[in-house]
Amino acid sequence: MDNWGQYNAGTRRGYLDEERGTDHHHHRSGHNPWDDYERLRHLAHPDRERWMPRAPVLALMQLGEGMHVADVGAGSGYLVGELATAVGLAGKVYAIDPAPAARQHLQERFGESAPQVGVVEGTGEHIPLPDNILDRM
């Protein structure tokens, strides 16, 4: 099973299936699901808080004012707003994603309203930030 299938196994895949009326295997014909607006819509689905609550993740991070943190694979920005609030204007949140559609969405969502958020092209394997800049990731 590829990443898209693993990601959707047991999640809210039915939401997109019903709404779009599409086959989940459409990506096998060369379509890149990680650069897809529909992926962002799925990640921003209102039910996401039920199957991936933010509070436990944020509690484990033990964030504070002025910290520098990264959200690798930021996608729709599900955690970015909470991270930005936690680190405040003195901190920095690097919203890292390889997909141009995700980066554009993140820039539109946080560009003016959260100046401490920087949108960066990258992956978990390649994080284009200087060494020792992050307090949490």
Side-chain angles (χ1 to χ4, degrees):
M1 185 181 298
D2 61 343
N3 286 340
W4 186 246
Q6 288 173 356
Y7 176 79
N8 282 294
T11 66
R12 303 288 299 166
R13 179 171 60 193
Y15 157 72
L16 287 180
D17 296 343
E18 291 168 14
E19 185 173 293
R20 294 185 324 183
T22 57
D23 173 11
H24 350 277
H25 302 293
H26 70 282
H27 61 278
R28 293 191 180 161
S29 63
H31 175 75
N32 179 359
W34 297 110
D35 193 20
D36 188 5
Y37 179 73
E38 292 298 328
R39 172 183 162 250
L40 294 176
R41 289 185 57 218
H42 177 73
L43 293 175
H45 192 276
D47 286 347
R48 185 171 180 191
E49 185 65 29
R50 287 192 317 186
W51 51 269
M52 186 186 169
R54 290 175 259 229
V57 174
L58 296 166
L60 284 172
M61 293 182 79
Q62 299 180 355
L63 300 171
E65 186 80 21
M67 293 178 91
H68 289 206
V69 301
D71 182 353
V72 180
S76 65
Y78 181 67
L79 292 173
V80 173
E82 300 279 347
L83 296 172
T85 298
V87 302
L89 291 174
K92 185 73 175 179
V93 175
Y94 298 94
I96 301 171
D97 204 283
R103 291 192 312 275
Q104 179 181 346
H105 172 79
L106 290 162
Q107 190 62 48
E108 290 169 0
R109 184 172 173 193
F110 298 105
E112 292 181 24
S113 64
Q116 70 271 45
V117 174
V119 178
V120 179
E121 180 178 1
T123 65
E125 293 79 27
H126 175 70
I127 299 172
L129 298 174
D131 291 341
N132 303 317
I133 195 172
L134 297 174
D135 297 300
R136 303 281 190 275
M137 184 167 58

